[in-house]
Amino acid sequence: MKDSVLNFWRACGGRERLALVAGGALLLLVGGYLYVWSPMQQSITRLRSAVVDLNFKAGQFEINAQEALRLKGMAPAAMETADLPAAIEQAAEQSGMRSGIVSMTPADAGRMKIAIQAVGADKLLAWIGALQERGIFVKTIEILPGGRPGIVNADAVLGTS
């Protein structure tokens, strides 16, 4: 094949050789543009867009991190286990459902089992909110109908962590 190309080249005149060289150079330039330059420019454009998006996400992440630190500073202080029953009763008094607590027994370290009878569902939810303000959280709760509309019975396990 090399010989046939070489023979063809020798058979061409000066103008034909110049046209072949110019055509080859043009073909090389077009191929370089289509297969190297254009894909590279598309990648650059895509990456610049990704950088803008990632910068936005990084800014959002920073805002969220600052908010988390702010909220962490607002978290209620850890409560002594001995204070837990008193805090539960204070929250019940605050929400108007102290008479609904029929039993309160220690479950384990930092947890209390609570049995509640015949309280309004709205008072129960207010009580849960008051507990959370004091750093006491519902670990488990079972809410059952109390026999009348809006009245419930509940068994809950509350804890400080």
Side-chain angles (χ1 to χ4, degrees):
M1 170 139 170
K2 181 180 175 185
D3 291 333
S4 62
V5 171
L6 195 54
N7 287 336
F8 174 75
W9 184 257
R10 286 181 186 149
C12 292
R15 285 187 177 198
E16 291 173 335
R17 285 182 185 175
L18 181 63
L20 286 174
V21 167
L26 181 64
L27 188 61
L28 184 64
L29 287 174
V30 169
Y33 176 80
L34 291 176
Y35 293 107
V36 177
W37 185 259
S38 182
M40 184 174 64
Q41 291 300 318
Q42 290 172 352
S43 294
I44 289 172
T45 302
R46 182 180 46 81
L47 290 173
R48 283 185 178 150
S49 173
V51 165
V52 169
D53 186 46
L54 289 173
N55 282 336
F56 175 76
K57 287 180 180 178
Q60 287 297 111
F61 183 79
E62 185 65 32
I63 290 169
N64 291 342
Q66 290 172 358
E67 178 71 6
L69 289 174
R70 185 185 69 78
L71 292 175
K72 185 178 180 183
M74 292 175 49
M79 179 178 298
E80 300 276 333
T81 305
D83 296 340
L84 186 58
I88 291 171
E89 287 187 16
Q90 286 174 357
E93 289 287 339
Q94 177 185 342
S95 58
M97 62 157 276
R98 175 62 189 100
S99 62
I101 296 178
V102 293
S103 73
M104 188 172 5
T105 56
D108 55 26
R111 291 184 182 209
M112 297 288 288
K113 288 184 182 180
I114 311 293
I116 301 166
Q117 294 289 317
V119 297
D122 57 339
K123 289 183 180 181
L124 179 66
L125 293 175
W127 177 63
I128 291 171
L131 288 171
Q132 289 180 346
E133 289 172 1
R134 289 172 169 76
I136 303 169
F137 301 97
V138 176
K139 300 302 180 182
T140 62
I141 190 165
E142 180 181 8
I143 301 174
L144 302 169
R148 296 186 318 241
I151 303 299
V152 295
N153 299 327
D155 292 316
V157 176
L158 307 175
T160 57
S161 59

